[in-house]
């Protein structure tokens, strides 16, 4: 992945870049809080303490890109972020978050372009979220919670080894 700036010119002066180490606390905190808020049937302690290892592993195994300000003064202002992974067969989206004032601006679509996403291709989501639910009608997104498990992606790719990325629903 190039670390060059992609511009969302018609909408916001935004730079798309790979997440910096300094972005990690915001990404982790917004992931945990957003996931807790959207899954009220899961005890908060289970997410904050037990799901921490899942999130940290997925962050380490994947690529996180951010939409941030495009000037030196605003490059640390993160408006949206996406943690995903492109394999030979699949685009796997683990989680994404967009701050409320920046929703409906197409930031997630711009972040998906970094992973060479083509509308209509199968996207596997390891976590349910509002954004994933909102995008589902326009995109071919399938929730596969097993991708959260250690070796979950390897196991899924082996399962679909002969299908060249075609997933049956």
């Amino acid at each position: 992945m190039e670390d060059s700036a992609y511009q969302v010119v018609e909408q916001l002066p935004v730079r798309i870049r790979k997440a910096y180490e300094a972005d990690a606390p915001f990404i982790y905190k917004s992931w945990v809080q957003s996931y807790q808020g959207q899954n009220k049937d899961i005890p908060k302690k289970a997410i904050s303490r037990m799901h921490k290892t899942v999130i940290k592993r997925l962050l380490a195994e994947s690529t996180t890109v951010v939409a941030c300000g495009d000037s030196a003064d605003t490059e640390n202002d993160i408006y949206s972020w996406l943690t995903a992974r492109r394999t030979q067969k699949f685009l796997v989206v683990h989680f994404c978050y967009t701050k409320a004032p920046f929703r409906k601006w197409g930031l997630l679509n711009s972040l998906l372009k970094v992973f060479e996403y083509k509308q209509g291709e199968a996207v596997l989501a390891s976590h349910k979220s509002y954004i994933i639910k909102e995008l589902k009608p326009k995109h071919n997104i399938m929730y596969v919670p097993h991708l959260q498990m250690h070796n979950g992606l390897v196991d899924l790719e082996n399962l679909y080894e002969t299908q060249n990325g075609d997933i049956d629903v």
Side-chain angles (χ1 to χ4, degrees), residues 7-169:
Q7 295 294 323
V8 186
V9 178
E10 293 112 46
Q11 298 171 348
L12 287 174
V14 171
R15 178 172 182 235
I16 306 296
R17 63 167 170 78
K18 197 171 181 178
Y20 298 150
E21 190 65 36
D23 302 330
F26 172 74
I27 291 166
Y28 178 77
K29 183 178 179 180
S30 57
W31 186 332
V32 170
Q33 288 179 343
S34 180
Y35 192 63
Q36 280 178 340
Q38 297 174 56
N39 294 280
K40 296 189 184 304
D41 55 335
I42 302 174
K44 283 186 178 185
K45 282 187 180 182
I47 293 175
S48 64
R49 294 187 183 166
M50 299 170 73
H51 203 64
K52 179 190 307 187
T53 56
V54 172
I55 293 171
K56 286 185 177 184
R57 181 176 41 76
L58 294 176
L59 285 168
E61 294 173 354
S62 305
T63 300
T64 300
V65 291
V66 301
C68 61
D70 71 343
S71 71
D73 293 337
T74 61
E75 76 171 346
N76 293 323
D77 297 342
I78 298 173
Y79 311 134
S80 183
W81 60 264
L82 167 68
T83 297
R85 185 173 178 181
R86 167 67 76 182
T87 71
Q88 197 170 17
K89 295 181 182 182
F90 306 115
L91 174 57
V92 177
V93 171
H94 291 299
F95 208 79
C96 52
Y97 174 80
T98 301
K99 289 180 178 177
F102 301 100
R103 294 179 186 153
K104 306 281 186 197
W105 285 86
L107 293 176
L108 183 56
N109 285 326
S110 296
L111 293 170
L112 284 167
K113 288 179 186 176
V114 173
F115 296 93
E116 300 174 1
Y117 168 72
K118 293 168 191 65
Q119 191 162 350
E121 78 172 291
V123 177
L124 307 180
S126 64
H127 291 74
K128 278 191 178 179
S129 69
Y130 294 136
I131 293 174
I132 297 297
K133 291 174 192 173
E134 186 176 305
L135 292 175
K136 189 169 175 64
K138 295 180 184 175
H139 303 275
N140 188 13
I141 300 175
M142 288 167 272
Y143 173 54
V144 185
H146 306 87
L147 292 168
Q148 297 177 32
M149 298 167 56
H150 184 69
N151 288 329
L153 180 57
V154 172
D155 293 343
L156 187 72
E157 286 190 318
N158 289 337
L159 182 66
Y160 287 97
E161 188 172 332
T162 60
Q163 291 184 289
N164 198 23
D166 294 333
I167 304 249
D168 52 350
V169 181

